[in-house]
Amino acid sequence: MARNRGDKEEGPEKLMGLLKLVQILSLLVIFVAGVILGLATSSHINHYFTSQAQLFLTNNIASAKLSDNNCTVVKPCEKVDFLNMERFVHPDNVIHSMTDDQVFWRASLLPQKKGYPFDRVPKVAFMFLTRGPLPLLPLWERFFRGHGQYFSIYVHTPHDYVLNVSSDSPFYGRMIPSKDVEWGSVSLVDAEKRLLANALLDFSNERFVLLSESCIPIYNFPTVYKYLIRSEYSFVESYDEPTRYGRGRYSRKMLPDIHLYQWRKGSQWFEIQRDLAVYIVSDTKYYTIFKKYCRPACYPDEHYIPTYLNMFHGSLNSNRSVTWVDWSIGGPHPARYGGGNITEDFIQSIRNNGTQCSYNSEMTSVCYLFARKFAPSALVPLLSLTSTVMEF
């Protein structure tokens, strides 16, 4: 009987053991199945992203082969030097979007290091301050012909005027950003400074001459170039005029910055060296005084630069102009010459007028290089004299 009871007690224990074994086996099967499922899923995901990456690269490479504008390993883009030295020292275009203040600031930069890191051929900047057309253009084109490396041209016109010239003209594309000018106002000085600032952007420009549409050259280009480049001084007329047309235009409101004894008058049509051009463009203080207190019958274009140079840079100035003009008729404007006035003797009388002037501390009879005022009707007879009298 006892043996039978033992057999009955062992039955449940065996059953419990089997259940635990089944549970363990079930967990083991679930674990193995999870591992297998995880590996399969991971392999599928890797395969998907790998295929997408290959597809992306294949499309981009194919696109690069078809396009000329994409930068890829297959077809690298052309390198652009945005700090190109040639463009910096010799701007190939005078058109820009800078304001007056911006171009004045840039033009006022004066290198402190001596010498130039490029082969510099000094040039003369011919700056034309015009009311629109250039009626004597063919004469100037003949004057400049064959001397392109020695000059630059800058033209200031009314802001809405378009200068139409042929593409082979030295005046083509040489109109600077301009504003309207009113005779007798400070806007004339603004135009002068605007021309100087734009010309200063070319570091090869060494001399700067201001001209109008009624000016003509009376010597050939080589003579003019050598005369200006070799000069130790600038040519700005600056003198004391003890009448109401000179001292009478001075305002005591300019004190204490400008005194009467410093006040000067002179022709608007100047020629200056590079250093003086930088000083003039850089000046704000004295320009502001003239803008505020020099109003008609005070004319800033006749007093600002002559007075400023007399105050600070008189030793660099010859105190005379190289542009001939005839004031003998009296009045506010000089004589104007048309076609009927143009003869060989007349041009020779300007070139050799019997006067003597100082050039590099020596006396010379060549005092004028340009002349004004000439009407459009003077063009044809002037062209007939270029080879025989003016020698160009």
Side-chain angles (χ1 to χ4, degrees):
M1 294 295 292
R3 183 177 180 178
N4 290 336
R5 284 196 301 270
D7 292 338
K8 291 180 180 179
E9 292 175 354
E10 290 176 359
E13 291 178 358
K14 289 182 178 180
L15 182 61
M16 292 297 294
L18 290 172
L19 288 174
K20 288 181 179 180
L21 180 60
V22 170
Q23 289 177 347
I24 292 172
L25 291 174
S26 298
L27 291 174
L28 182 60
V29 169
I30 292 171
F31 174 76
V32 171
V35 170
I36 294 172
L37 180 62
L39 290 173
T41 303
S42 175
S43 175
H44 177 72
I45 292 174
N46 286 339
H47 176 74
Y48 173 78
F49 283 110
T50 300
S51 63
Q52 290 298 313
Q54 290 176 344
L55 179 62
F56 175 78
L57 290 175
T58 301
N59 288 340
N60 275 275
I61 292 174
S63 175
K65 292 178 180 178
L66 294 174
S67 173
D68 290 333
N69 298 321
N70 289 327
C71 295
T72 66
V73 176
V74 175
K75 183 176 177 58
C77 283
E78 178 185 357
K79 292 183 178 179
V80 179
D81 184 0
F82 291 101
L83 296 178
N84 182 278
M85 185 66 175
E86 180 63 22
R87 288 197 188 100
F88 179 72
V89 298
H90 299 134
D92 54 6
N93 198 313
V94 298
I95 301 301
H96 57 76
S97 60
M98 288 186 285
T99 64
D100 280 352
D101 286 340
Q102 289 170 339
V103 72
F104 291 169
W105 177 83
R106 180 171 169 181
S108 68
L109 301 178
L110 186 63
Q112 299 301 307
K113 183 177 177 60
K114 293 186 179 299
Y116 295 89
F118 59 94
D119 293 331
R120 183 178 186 260
V121 177
K123 297 191 294 185
V124 177
F126 291 83
M127 308 179 302
F128 290 84
L129 176 54
T130 78
R131 292 172 292 183
L134 287 169
L136 304 176
L137 179 71
L139 180 69
W140 283 103
E141 290 177 331
R142 186 176 295 185
F143 169 78
F144 288 124
R145 187 180 300 159
H147 307 289
Q149 69 182 112
Y150 300 108
F151 70 87
S152 302
I153 293 175
Y154 302 86
V155 183
H156 188 290
T157 68
H159 80 281
D160 58 350
Y161 181 79
V162 177
L163 181 65
N164 291 315
V165 295
S166 62
S167 59
D168 61 348
S169 170
F171 288 82
Y172 181 76
R174 303 310 297 176
M175 286 180 56
I176 69 168
S178 305
K179 296 182 180 180
D180 290 340
V181 171
E182 182 182 352
W183 183 84
S185 74
V186 77
S187 63
L188 274 170
V189 175
D190 294 336
E192 293 169 4
K193 295 183 73 169
R194 200 172 292 125
L195 280 164
L196 283 173
N198 280 274
L200 281 167
L201 298 183
D202 188 330
F203 280 79
S204 287
N205 288 332
E206 183 61 29
R207 308 289 300 205
F208 304 77
V209 55
L210 183 67
L211 302 160
S212 75
E213 71 273 13
S214 65
C215 289
I216 67 167
I218 57 175
Y219 288 94
N220 59 28
F221 184 90
T223 300
V224 171
Y225 178 82
K226 292 175 184 177
Y227 193 99
L228 297 178
I229 292 296
R230 294 176 180 178
S231 175
E232 300 171 0
Y233 301 95
S234 293
F235 299 97
V236 181
E237 192 175 52
S238 178
Y239 60 92
D240 179 21
E241 174 61 70
T243 69
R244 65 188 181 97
Y245 301 109
R247 294 183 190 177
R249 297 174 177 176
Y250 171 78
S251 172
R252 293 182 62 84
K253 294 180 180 179
M254 295 182 176
L255 290 171
D257 298 297
I258 303 175
H259 294 265
L260 179 59
Y261 73 87
Q262 298 170 314
W263 186 255
R264 292 294 183 271
K265 181 181 179 180
S267 170
Q268 172 188 6
W269 311 105
F270 59 76
E271 191 285 331
I272 58 177
Q273 60 207 67
R274 187 174 183 89
D275 287 349
L276 288 190
V278 173
Y279 294 143
I280 291 170
V281 166
S282 303
D283 172 56
T284 299
K285 177 180 178 179
Y286 295 93
Y287 164 81
T288 302
I289 294 172
F290 272 84
K291 183 177 181 179
K292 188 173 182 180
Y293 298 119
C294 184
R295 298 174 178 272
C298 177
Y299 304 104
D301 58 295
E302 295 182 0
H303 294 281
Y304 167 62
I305 292 180
T307 299
Y308 179 76
L309 294 187
N310 176 61
M311 292 175 65
F312 301 106
H313 308 288
S315 62
L316 299 177
N317 186 29
S318 65
N319 290 332
R320 66 180 179 90
S321 174
V322 288
T323 300
W324 178 89
V325 63
D326 181 7
W327 288 97
S328 63
I329 62 174
H333 301 288
R336 190 166 184 255
Y337 296 97
N341 305 111
I342 308 303
T343 64
E344 181 175 340
D345 289 341
F346 175 63
I347 300 299
Q348 289 289 13
S349 70
I350 300 174
R351 288 161 53 106
N352 305 295
N353 59 7
T355 61
Q356 293 280 310
C357 56
S358 176
Y359 178 79
N360 290 345
S361 303
E362 296 183 0
M363 301 307 294
T364 179
S365 61
V366 180
C367 299
Y368 298 107
L369 305 176
F370 313 99
R372 65 184 303 267
K373 300 174 69 170
F374 290 84
S377 61
L379 175 62
V380 173
L382 283 171
L383 287 174
S384 69
L385 296 176
T386 56
S387 61
T388 57
V389 180
M390 294 176 276
E391 301 174 350
F392 61 85

